[in-house]
Amino acid sequence: MTGETDLKTLLASMTPELLDGIHVFARLAPGVSQPEGLEPVMVFREHEGTTLIVTEDAAEAAGLSASFRCRMITLNVHSSLEAVGFLAAITARLAAAGMGVNPVSAFYHDHLFVPAERAEEAMVLLRGLAAENGQVK
């Protein structure tokens, strides 16, 4: 199964789910290994170092410096990695409200990391966007 590509269907079908806990973005310098036992939601390697998205508690326990206290919202619709405009529509809606977002696409779903103190507001905006596109119940 390759996932949905139709933008209107994606927007109408997304069911945003606010996950428990506070996440942060932590960085490891090049050549530094990930602390043993740490279970990041995401690991991304760049030339300058490795980015980890982990819970705030896990980052503190591992002694990692971190930034961007955020909450994770999963968009529960199987979006294709080739879908056009889905995240653009979502990030534009959040940007119009003055909210930064760090989106991450995985094979089945897209995930949004939004400022922790604005997570409930993001959920209202996302539900509104789904409803405007004929939300599937």
Side-chain angles (χ1 to χ4, degrees), residues 17-99:
E17 177 185 1
L18 181 60
L19 281 72
D20 291 333
I22 302 291
H23 286 78
V24 293
F25 283 61
R27 184 185 79 84
L28 299 175
V32 174
S33 298
Q34 179 177 305
E36 192 171 321
L38 192 66
E39 295 185 24
V41 173
M42 186 207 76
V43 176
F44 199 92
R45 290 172 183 82
E46 298 177 282
H47 177 73
E48 299 86 354
T50 300
T51 299
L52 308 171
I53 302 177
V54 295
T55 64
E56 185 173 49
D57 291 342
E60 287 175 6
L64 298 173
S65 63
S67 61
F68 190 56
R69 293 184 78 247
C70 55
R71 298 278 307 273
M72 180 177 169
I73 298 172
T74 295
L75 304 175
N76 287 315
V77 60
H78 183 184
S79 55
S80 169
L81 291 168
E82 296 177 9
V84 176
F86 183 45
L87 286 176
I90 290 166
T91 58
R93 177 61 56 97
L94 297 176
M99 186 181 311

XYZ file of all heavy atoms in Angstrom, residues 17-99:
609
model
N -3.742 13.504 16.159
C -3.695 12.922 17.509
C -2.523 13.549 18.261
O -1.375 13.430 17.835
C -3.509 11.412 17.415
C -3.373 10.733 18.744
C -3.068 9.246 18.618
O -2.945 8.724 17.490
O -2.935 8.605 19.677
N -2.839 14.199 19.367
C -1.815 14.823 20.210
C -1.282 13.766 21.168
O -2.017 13.245 22.000
C -2.415 16.006 20.968
C -1.480 16.782 21.885
C -0.314 17.389 21.113
C -2.277 17.871 22.607
N -0.011 13.459 21.033
C 0.591 12.433 21.882
C 0.999 13.020 23.227
O 1.266 14.211 23.340
C 1.796 11.805 21.184
C 1.422 10.757 20.128
C 0.829 11.395 18.895
C 2.611 9.931 19.762
N 1.047 12.172 24.225
C 1.453 12.586 25.563
C 2.937 12.935 25.583
O 3.723 12.407 24.799
C 1.206 11.461 26.575
C -0.266 11.210 26.823
O -1.069 12.154 26.656
O -0.613 10.073 27.177
N 3.301 13.768 26.513
C 4.709 14.051 26.770
C 5.259 15.234 25.996
O 4.709 15.664 24.995
N 6.358 15.737 26.522
C 7.096 16.834 25.893
C 8.311 16.238 25.190
O 9.029 15.415 25.756
C 7.578 17.860 26.952
C 6.411 18.425 27.753
C 8.414 18.965 26.295
C 5.486 19.323 26.983
N 8.519 16.653 23.953
C 9.691 16.236 23.195
C 10.635 17.426 23.045
O 10.219 18.575 23.175
C 9.285 15.717 21.811
C 8.659 14.365 21.849
N 7.355 14.159 22.217
C 9.174 13.149 21.582
C 7.084 12.872 22.174
N 8.174 12.236 21.784
N 11.874 17.135 22.725
C 12.882 18.152 22.448
C 13.761 17.671 21.301
O 13.798 16.480 20.991
C 13.770 18.451 23.681
C 12.969 19.123 24.790
C 14.456 17.193 24.186
N 14.454 18.621 20.699
C 15.440 18.300 19.666
C 16.808 18.399 20.334
O 17.157 19.430 20.896
C 15.347 19.298 18.514
C 14.189 19.049 17.586
C 12.882 19.099 18.043
C 14.417 18.761 16.252
C 11.814 18.877 17.194
C 13.350 18.526 15.390
C 12.057 18.588 15.859
N 17.563 17.317 20.282
C 18.898 17.272 20.875
C 19.918 17.023 19.762
O 19.582 16.480 18.707
C 18.978 16.170 21.927
N 21.162 17.406 20.024
C 22.210 17.272 19.014
C 23.396 16.520 19.578
O 23.800 16.734 20.719
C 22.671 18.653 18.562
C 23.685 18.622 17.439
C 24.207 20.004 17.117
N 25.217 20.450 18.080
C 26.508 20.137 18.004
N 26.957 19.378 17.035
N 27.352 20.589 18.899
N 23.937 15.645 18.744
C 25.203 14.974 19.049
C 26.244 15.474 18.056
O 25.965 15.560 16.854
C 25.071 13.455 18.913
C 24.069 12.757 19.830
C 23.981 11.277 19.465
C 24.464 12.929 21.281
N 27.418 15.801 18.534
C 28.501 16.235 17.651
C 28.928 15.076 16.753
O 28.718 13.903 17.088
C 29.685 16.724 18.485
N 29.515 15.390 15.604
C 29.989 14.315 14.722
C 30.893 13.341 15.476
O 31.728 13.747 16.278
C 30.780 15.067 13.644
C 30.204 16.447 13.640
C 29.833 16.720 15.075
N 30.660 12.075 15.231
C 31.479 11.036 15.846
C 31.056 10.641 17.245
O 31.589 9.681 17.809
N 30.125 11.357 17.854
C 29.645 11.017 19.191
C 28.507 10.009 19.052
O 27.571 10.219 18.284
C 29.159 12.269 19.960
C 28.524 11.899 21.284
C 30.315 13.235 20.156
N 28.610 8.925 19.794
C 27.592 7.881 19.729
C 26.356 8.255 20.521
O 26.428 8.967 21.528
C 28.143 6.558 20.290
O 29.225 6.121 19.515
N 25.256 7.719 20.083
C 23.990 7.904 20.798
C 24.082 7.213 22.152
O 24.566 6.087 22.241
C 22.866 7.277 19.962
C 21.512 7.374 20.575
C 20.460 6.795 19.635
O 20.362 7.204 18.492
N 19.701 5.844 20.131
N 23.667 7.889 23.219
C 23.720 7.263 24.540
C 22.956 5.936 24.574
O 21.872 5.832 23.997
C 23.060 8.296 25.452
C 23.272 9.603 24.754
C 23.180 9.268 23.289
N 23.539 4.970 25.230
C 22.925 3.643 25.321
C 21.575 3.729 26.030
O 21.404 4.457 27.006
C 23.860 2.701 26.093
C 23.446 1.252 25.977
C 24.490 0.315 26.542
O 25.688 0.577 26.334
O 24.084 -0.669 27.195
N 20.611 3.019 25.501
C 19.286 2.966 26.095
C 18.360 4.090 25.654
O 17.168 4.069 25.953
N 18.886 5.078 24.950
C 18.067 6.194 24.473
C 17.244 5.723 23.278
O 17.778 5.080 22.376
C 18.971 7.364 24.071
C 18.294 8.695 23.819
C 17.679 9.237 25.122
C 19.298 9.702 23.284
N 15.962 6.016 23.285
C 15.080 5.589 22.196
C 14.435 6.807 21.535
O 13.301 7.168 21.848
C 14.021 4.625 22.723
C 14.611 3.336 23.231
C 13.556 2.325 23.637
O 12.409 2.400 23.128
O 13.873 1.475 24.468
N 15.143 7.430 20.595
C 14.605 8.615 19.924
C 13.404 8.270 19.045
O 13.295 7.158 18.519
C 15.758 9.099 19.050
C 16.939 8.306 19.433
C 16.475 7.090 20.133
N 12.530 9.248 18.870
C 11.442 9.123 17.913
C 12.025 9.255 16.509
O 11.560 8.634 15.572
C 10.379 10.223 18.151
C 9.318 10.222 17.072
C 9.743 10.065 19.507
N 13.063 10.076 16.374
C 13.709 10.286 15.094
C 15.200 10.508 15.288
O 15.613 11.105 16.277
C 13.129 11.512 14.378
C 13.674 11.688 12.958
S 13.669 13.398 12.363
C 15.048 14.081 13.244
N 15.975 10.020 14.331
C 17.415 10.270 14.274
C 17.714 10.742 12.850
O 17.297 10.100 11.884
C 18.230 8.986 14.556
C 19.720 9.240 14.388
C 17.918 8.435 15.929
N 18.392 11.860 12.740
C 18.763 12.359 11.419
C 20.214 12.808 11.460
O 20.597 13.619 12.309
C 17.871 13.532 10.997
C 17.899 13.767 9.518
C 16.966 13.173 8.689
C 18.881 14.569 8.949
C 17.002 13.374 7.312
C 18.931 14.770 7.579
C 17.981 14.175 6.758
N 21.011 12.258 10.549
C 22.436 12.584 10.514
C 22.707 13.651 9.458
O 22.296 13.511 8.312
C 23.236 11.324 10.215
C 23.224 10.359 11.376
C 23.859 9.007 11.035
N 23.762 8.105 12.153
C 22.691 7.383 12.455
N 21.607 7.494 11.725
N 22.685 6.579 13.494
N 23.412 14.688 9.876
C 23.847 15.749 8.978
C 25.355 15.885 9.121
O 25.947 15.345 10.055
C 23.176 17.078 9.353
C 21.668 17.037 9.237
C 21.045 18.335 9.679
O 20.924 18.569 10.895
O 20.690 19.133 8.791
N 25.949 16.626 8.227
C 27.397 16.830 8.265
C 27.844 17.412 9.613
O 28.872 17.021 10.168
C 27.820 17.753 7.115
C 29.267 18.087 7.107
N 30.236 17.167 6.751
C 29.919 19.220 7.446
C 31.429 17.728 6.866
N 31.268 18.973 7.272
N 27.018 18.339 10.161
C 27.405 19.028 11.396
C 27.161 18.222 12.664
O 27.628 18.585 13.736
C 26.631 20.354 11.511
C 26.900 21.324 10.400
C 26.018 21.100 9.170
O 25.260 20.109 9.123
O 26.105 21.916 8.248
N 26.407 17.152 12.562
C 26.102 16.338 13.735
C 24.808 15.565 13.549
O 24.209 15.583 12.478
N 24.381 14.903 14.591
C 23.172 14.086 14.556
C 22.094 14.744 15.396
O 22.343 15.148 16.533
C 23.465 12.669 15.100
O 24.477 12.069 14.280
C 22.225 11.796 15.076
N 20.900 14.847 14.821
C 19.744 15.370 15.539
C 18.918 14.210 16.052
O 18.665 13.248 15.325
C 18.879 16.243 14.600
O 19.657 17.335 14.133
C 17.646 16.757 15.315
N 18.509 14.314 17.301
C 17.638 13.317 17.916
C 16.380 14.018 18.405
O 16.467 15.082 19.016
C 18.313 12.674 19.135
C 19.719 12.107 18.960
C 20.302 11.728 20.316
C 19.674 10.898 18.058
N 15.223 13.444 18.133
C 13.996 13.912 18.764
C 13.686 12.887 19.844
O 13.479 11.703 19.551
C 12.819 14.037 17.780
C 13.169 14.987 16.640
C 11.573 14.518 18.525
C 12.085 15.108 15.576
N 13.701 13.357 21.082
C 13.506 12.483 22.241
C 12.591 13.178 23.244
O 12.367 14.382 23.154
C 14.851 12.146 22.930
C 15.753 11.331 22.018
C 15.563 13.408 23.381
N 12.117 12.413 24.204
C 11.344 13.057 25.257
C 12.281 13.941 26.072
O 13.489 13.690 26.172
C 10.661 12.041 26.181
O 11.662 11.288 26.862
C 9.712 11.122 25.409
N 11.707 14.973 26.645
C 12.503 15.885 27.454
C 13.146 15.142 28.621
O 14.324 15.360 28.930
C 11.604 17.012 27.961
C 12.330 18.099 28.712
C 11.411 19.253 29.043
O 10.300 19.012 29.571
O 11.805 20.397 28.763
N 12.400 14.248 29.240
C 12.934 13.471 30.365
C 14.128 12.616 29.940
O 15.124 12.524 30.656
C 11.852 12.584 30.981
C 10.776 13.383 31.699
O 11.016 14.569 32.030
O 9.692 12.815 31.938
N 14.022 11.979 28.769
C 15.116 11.127 28.288
C 16.354 11.959 27.975
O 17.479 11.536 28.270
C 14.676 10.343 27.055
N 16.160 13.145 27.398
C 17.303 14.022 27.096
C 18.005 14.437 28.377
O 19.239 14.406 28.463
C 16.835 15.254 26.317
N 17.222 14.821 29.384
C 17.818 15.218 30.670
C 18.551 14.052 31.308
O 19.672 14.218 31.800
C 16.732 15.748 31.599
C 16.213 17.118 31.199
C 15.050 17.606 32.056
O 14.696 16.943 33.053
O 14.487 18.657 31.704
N 17.950 12.861 31.285
C 18.583 11.676 31.887
C 19.887 11.317 31.191
O 20.822 10.827 31.831
C 17.619 10.488 31.854
N 19.959 11.573 29.885
C 21.164 11.251 29.119
C 22.173 12.397 29.138
O 23.255 12.283 28.554
C 20.786 10.915 27.680
N 21.835 13.508 29.777
C 22.742 14.646 29.851
C 22.893 15.394 28.539
O 23.917 16.042 28.299
N 21.876 15.336 27.697
C 21.942 16.011 26.405
C 21.385 17.426 26.510
O 20.364 17.650 27.160
C 21.115 15.244 25.370
C 21.548 13.816 25.060
C 20.536 13.149 24.144
C 22.924 13.823 24.421
N 22.048 18.357 25.857
C 21.467 19.693 25.770
C 20.446 19.645 24.641
O 20.645 18.966 23.637
C 22.540 20.747 25.522
O 23.165 20.516 24.286
N 19.343 20.346 24.838
C 18.259 20.249 23.872
C 17.579 21.592 23.708
O 17.749 22.505 24.513
C 17.262 19.200 24.342
N 16.795 21.697 22.660
C 16.020 22.906 22.421
C 14.669 22.527 21.833
O 14.429 21.376 21.481
C 16.773 23.849 21.473
O 16.984 23.233 20.227
N 13.818 23.514 21.721
C 12.477 23.412 21.156
C 11.612 22.399 21.910
O 11.395 21.278 21.467
C 12.514 23.088 19.656
C 11.163 23.219 18.989
C 10.451 24.401 19.051
C 10.612 22.153 18.307
C 9.206 24.522 18.447
C 9.369 22.266 17.701
C 8.661 23.455 17.762
N 11.124 22.840 23.069
C 10.153 22.035 23.830
C 8.882 21.961 23.003
O 8.292 22.984 22.657
C 9.847 22.665 25.179
C 11.024 22.668 26.119
C 10.650 23.209 27.494
N 9.949 22.180 28.259
C 8.665 22.243 28.619
N 7.931 23.292 28.339
N 8.123 21.262 29.305
N 8.479 20.766 22.640
C 7.368 20.615 21.710
C 6.508 19.406 22.052
O 6.899 18.559 22.859
C 7.885 20.505 20.279
S 9.111 19.193 20.026
N 5.348 19.384 21.437
C 4.461 18.230 21.524
C 4.371 17.622 20.129
O 4.473 18.326 19.120
C 3.057 18.646 21.986
C 2.980 19.264 23.379
C 2.960 18.277 24.524
N 1.954 17.244 24.460
C 0.700 17.344 24.920
N 0.292 18.466 25.490
N -0.130 16.324 24.829
N 4.146 16.338 20.094
C 4.066 15.602 18.829
C 2.612 15.358 18.474
O 1.847 14.842 19.284
C 4.812 14.274 18.967
C 4.803 13.421 17.740
S 5.803 11.935 18.058
C 5.361 10.955 16.637
N 2.258 15.725 17.246
C 0.926 15.457 16.708
C 1.108 14.512 15.527
O 1.857 14.808 14.589
C 0.234 16.744 16.234
C 0.034 17.718 17.403
C -1.091 16.420 15.546
C -0.479 19.085 16.997
N 0.424 13.375 15.573
C 0.446 12.436 14.457
C -0.809 12.648 13.629
O -1.915 12.713 14.179
C 0.519 10.982 14.969
O 1.773 10.802 15.630
C 0.418 9.978 13.826
N -0.629 12.764 12.325
C -1.755 12.904 11.410
C -2.139 11.498 10.950
O -1.455 10.906 10.120
C -1.372 13.807 10.236
C -0.872 15.191 10.649
C -0.394 15.962 9.432
C -1.953 15.961 11.396
N -3.194 10.971 11.520
C -3.566 9.580 11.287
C -4.305 9.389 9.960
O -5.505 9.131 9.918
C -4.404 9.062 12.451
C -3.559 8.828 13.672
O -2.482 8.252 13.585
N -4.020 9.296 14.814
N -3.555 9.558 8.888
C -3.989 9.206 7.540
C -2.732 8.687 6.847
O -1.650 9.236 7.034
C -4.610 10.406 6.784
C -3.629 11.550 6.642
C -5.158 9.978 5.433
N -2.872 7.585 6.119
C -1.698 7.023 5.433
C -1.422 7.858 4.187
O -1.991 7.630 3.129
C -1.932 5.559 5.068
C -0.741 4.909 4.436
N -0.770 3.638 3.961
C 0.515 5.353 4.199
C 0.406 3.316 3.441
N 1.198 4.357 3.579
N -0.552 8.823 4.346
C -0.190 9.714 3.248
C 0.973 9.129 2.460
O 1.907 8.570 3.028
C 0.192 11.090 3.797
O 1.220 10.974 4.755
N 0.882 9.266 1.157
C 1.969 8.821 0.295
C 3.162 9.746 0.477
O 3.010 10.957 0.660
C 1.515 8.847 -1.165
O 2.615 8.653 -2.033
N 4.342 9.200 0.374
C 5.549 10.024 0.404
C 5.639 10.909 -0.835
O 6.412 11.862 -0.870
C 6.794 9.146 0.526
C 6.945 8.438 1.877
C 8.019 7.367 1.811
C 7.248 9.442 2.970
N 4.806 10.634 -1.837
C 4.781 11.423 -3.064
C 3.607 12.402 -3.113
O 3.403 13.077 -4.123
C 4.741 10.488 -4.268
C 5.991 9.632 -4.372
C 5.953 8.645 -5.528
O 5.037 8.719 -6.370
O 6.849 7.800 -5.584
N 2.842 12.478 -2.043
C 1.708 13.404 -2.004
C 2.211 14.837 -2.153
O 3.236 15.207 -1.587
C 0.930 13.239 -0.706
N 1.463 15.640 -2.894
C 1.864 17.028 -3.166
C 0.953 17.983 -2.397
O -0.267 17.935 -2.535
C 1.787 17.334 -4.680
C 2.097 18.793 -4.950
C 2.732 16.419 -5.450
N 1.546 18.831 -1.585
C 0.830 19.923 -0.950
C 0.237 19.652 0.415
O -0.266 20.576 1.049
N 0.283 18.425 0.906
C -0.337 18.094 2.191
C 0.320 18.869 3.333
O -0.328 19.639 4.036
C -0.271 16.586 2.424
C -0.942 16.102 3.682
C -2.197 16.562 4.052
C -0.323 15.154 4.488
C -2.825 16.092 5.210
C -0.938 14.686 5.639
C -2.193 15.161 5.999
N 1.597 18.698 3.490
C 2.280 19.413 4.565
C 2.333 20.917 4.297
O 2.297 21.713 5.239
C 3.680 18.852 4.800
C 3.707 17.502 5.505
C 5.132 16.978 5.615
C 3.059 17.578 6.873
N 2.361 21.311 3.037
C 2.353 22.739 2.719
C 1.064 23.389 3.212
O 1.092 24.476 3.792
C 2.512 22.947 1.214
N -0.073 22.725 3.003
C -1.359 23.264 3.463
C -1.402 23.339 4.986
O -1.878 24.324 5.565
C -2.506 22.405 2.935
N -0.887 22.328 5.634
C -0.898 22.276 7.096
C 0.041 23.323 7.684
O -0.338 24.076 8.583
C -0.534 20.859 7.571
C -1.687 19.917 7.236
C -0.205 20.835 9.052
C -1.345 18.469 7.330
N 1.254 23.381 7.189
C 2.209 24.337 7.747
C 1.788 25.773 7.436
O 2.028 26.670 8.246
C 3.646 24.063 7.262
O 3.696 24.108 5.837
C 4.144 22.708 7.759
N 1.136 26.000 6.292
C 0.632 27.340 5.973
C -0.448 27.753 6.969
O -0.482 28.910 7.410
C 0.095 27.388 4.544
N -1.315 26.817 7.341
C -2.372 27.130 8.309
C -1.766 27.480 9.666
O -2.171 28.439 10.314
C -3.324 25.933 8.440
C -4.436 26.094 9.458
C -5.390 27.265 9.159
N -5.975 27.189 7.859
C -7.184 26.695 7.581
N -7.932 26.225 8.551
N -7.628 26.675 6.341
N -0.786 26.718 10.104
C -0.147 26.997 11.387
C 0.668 28.298 11.309
O 0.659 29.090 12.256
C 0.723 25.818 11.813
C -0.035 24.506 12.063
C 0.936 23.381 12.395
C -1.083 24.650 13.135
N 1.319 28.537 10.181
C 2.096 29.770 10.004
C 1.188 30.995 10.045
O 1.561 32.030 10.600
C 2.869 29.722 8.689
N -0.015 30.882 9.477
C -0.960 31.996 9.486
C -1.352 32.373 10.912
O -1.706 33.520 11.188
C -2.198 31.649 8.671
N -1.249 31.409 11.821
C -1.523 31.661 13.238
C -0.250 32.046 13.990
O -0.253 32.153 15.214
C -2.152 30.419 13.877
N 0.855 32.230 13.262
C 2.121 32.608 13.887
C 2.788 31.475 14.636
O 3.552 31.707 15.573
N 2.520 30.251 14.211
C 3.054 29.084 14.915
C 4.095 28.363 14.061
O 3.828 27.985 12.924
C 1.911 28.103 15.230
C 2.346 26.931 16.093
S 1.003 25.748 16.433
C -0.315 26.795 16.980
